[in-house]
Amino acid sequence: MPTSLATPVAPGLALRALVALCIGLLAAGCASTPSYELQLAAADSAVANANNASTQGDAGAELRVATEKLASAHQAARRHQSERALQLAQQAEVDAQLAVITARSQRSQRAAEESQQAARALREEIERAGGR
């Protein structure tokens, strides 16, 4: 005779389990809401990591935007403008990441151009050697 995997559950127990699940989901939802303090810390870290000689040289404008937004975020936090602080800190973090990516892109572009020049020079040398 086949056995059923489902076991009967008392109605009260099922309701309590459902309520507990809902409370857990609500708590998780609240816990996942980013606070501006955590976002400020993330933005501080992102801007600090982006702030190096390479990024300053290759993506200085993007880095300045990130730095300015971070300063504005800290100012908003001091004024207890949590929504504004959160928004600016998020933007500062993204702008810092953009600065890093832009700097990498610039370096990659230069490396590609150098490789093309080297290939062109090699081709010319081969053509000259073949003509002898």
Side-chain angles (χ1 to χ4, degrees):
M1 177 175 237
T3 60
S4 172
L5 294 177
T7 57
V9 178
L13 183 58
L15 181 60
R16 282 183 286 210
L18 182 60
V19 168
L21 177 64
C22 289
I23 290 172
L25 290 173
L26 284 172
C30 292
S32 66
T33 303
S35 70
Y36 73 91
E37 294 96 353
L38 293 174
Q39 186 60 53
L40 274 173
D44 282 333
S45 178
V47 170
N49 288 335
N51 194 6
N52 58 54
S54 174
T55 306
Q56 289 170 359
D58 292 329
E62 291 85 352
L63 185 58
R64 274 189 299 283
V65 168
T67 303
E68 289 168 5
K69 284 185 183 174
L70 182 59
S72 295
H74 280 287
Q75 186 177 38
R78 284 191 298 275
R79 292 180 177 164
H80 305 291
Q81 298 170 337
S82 58
E83 282 296 316
R84 182 84 175 130
L86 175 63
Q87 182 183 40
L88 287 166
Q90 289 169 337
Q91 291 174 6
E93 182 179 12
V94 170
D95 288 336
Q97 293 167 352
L98 175 64
V100 169
I101 291 168
T102 300
R104 284 184 191 150
S105 176
Q106 292 291 330
R107 288 190 303 271
S108 295
Q109 183 66 34
R110 281 195 303 275
E113 289 169 0
E114 289 171 6
S115 293
Q116 288 173 348
Q117 287 175 345
R120 198 174 309 117
L122 183 59
R123 239 186 337 270
E124 290 171 1
E125 185 64 31
I126 289 171
E127 288 173 2
R128 272 184 279 193
R132 290 183 187 176

